[in-house]
């Protein structure tokens, strides 16, 4: 059965972007190392520390489906029809994808769902035994609040943004996680992985 993880690069004070969606120094560590990290199938490459590459490459290779919200789709122009990670991508949206975008990317492995619950269910079906990654922010927070997330992965950058887009969106209320089962120190980033407690 597919595992569902909410993941993002995050500031120490819990933000994944500034209010205008820019990331400032949050992604600097993607370009400061000697090891190559490759996102598949997009083929995007990054230069990270050996510790970050050793931790992240197996995770990125395991991603089968990514789930994003309509805002991220619009902000990135759907990455021109190529999922950043995984073979399939689910967009949770109440509106059809733009007709001109669909016409320009007829072979894009993109699917749509009208709710977070439907989006996660579709992603699980598509992923088989693979990993489903849900983008952090409003969508990830909704999935987390609904109890649809199995794991939390944070790439914590030593910066305080002060304001912006929260990792867990508008989620409120206490949810217990197990102790971190992975803690990896990279160069200007700390990788943390948790399992969400059940029951």
């Amino acid at each position: 059965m597919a595992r569902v993880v909410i993941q993002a690069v995050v500031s120490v004070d819990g933000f994944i972007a500034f209010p205008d969606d820019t990331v400032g120094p949050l992604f600097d560590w993607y370009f400061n190392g000697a090891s190559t990290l490759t996102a598949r199938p997009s083929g995007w490459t990054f230069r990270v520390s050996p510790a970050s590459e050793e931790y992240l490459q197996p995770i990125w290779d395991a991603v089968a489906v990514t789930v994003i919200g309509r805002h991220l789709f619009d902000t990135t122009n759907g990455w021109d029809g190529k999922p950043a990670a995984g073979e399939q991508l689910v967009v949770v949206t109440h509106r059809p994808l733009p007709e001109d975008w669909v016409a320009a990317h007829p072979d894009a492995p993109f699917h749509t769902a009208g709710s977070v619950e439907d989006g996660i269910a579709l992603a699980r079906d598509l992923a088989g035994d693979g990993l489903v990654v849900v983008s952090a922010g409003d969508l990830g927070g909704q999935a987390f609040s609904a109890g649809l997330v199995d794991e939390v992965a944070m790439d914590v950058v030593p910066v305080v943004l002060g304001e912006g887009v929260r990792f867990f969106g508008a989620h409120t209320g206490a949810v217990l996680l197990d102790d971190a089962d992975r803690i990896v120190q990279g160069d200007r980033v700390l990788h943390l992985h948790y399992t969400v407690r059940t029951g």
Side-chain angles (χ1 to χ4, degrees):
M1 175 181 281
R3 299 175 358 254
V4 177
V5 57
I6 179 175
Q7 183 278 331
V9 178
V10 62
S11 67
V12 170
D13 55 343
F15 298 107
I16 60 173
F18 284 114
D20 66 357
D21 294 321
T22 60
V23 295
L26 287 179
F27 287 1
D28 289 356
W29 64 276
Y30 276 127
F31 308 98
N32 69 356
S35 294
T36 301
L37 177 66
T38 304
R40 297 184 180 89
S42 66
W44 298 345
T45 59
F46 305 92
R47 300 295 294 176
V48 299
S49 69
S52 289
E53 186 275 332
E54 183 178 348
Y55 168 73
L56 286 173
Q57 193 65 68
I59 296 171
W60 286 16
D61 289 346
V63 176
V65 181
T66 300
V67 183
I68 67 172
R70 181 57 181 264
H71 181 72
L72 184 56
F73 174 87
D74 289 341
T75 301
T76 63
N77 190 38
W79 294 297
D80 293 325
K82 298 176 186 173
E87 298 292 333
Q88 307 277 336
L89 189 139
V90 175
V91 182
V92 176
T93 179
H94 299 297
R95 297 172 285 136
L97 299 183
E99 291 181 11
D100 57 341
W101 187 92
V102 173
H105 307 95
D107 298 323
F110 283 43
H111 311 269
T112 58
S115 70
V116 172
E117 292 80 4
D118 289 346
I120 299 297
L122 175 58
R124 281 185 183 272
D125 287 345
L126 292 168
D129 292 330
L131 185 64
V132 173
V133 172
V134 181
S135 62
D138 287 338
L139 177 76
Q142 291 174 46
F144 190 73
S145 294
L148 302 173
V149 173
D150 304 307
E151 305 168 15
V152 175
M154 299 176 147
D155 304 314
V156 183
V157 174
V159 63
V160 175
L161 295 186
E163 62 177 344
V165 181
R166 295 175 54 207
F167 185 96
F168 290 103
H171 170 78
T172 58
V175 175
L176 290 179
L177 309 178
D178 287 335
D179 288 337
D181 54 54
R182 297 292 306 273
I183 302 171
V184 176
Q185 178 66 61
D187 182 0
R188 302 293 298 162
V189 63
L190 179 67
H191 306 288
L192 301 173
H193 182 275
Y194 302 91
T195 299
V196 179
R197 284 190 176 180
T198 57

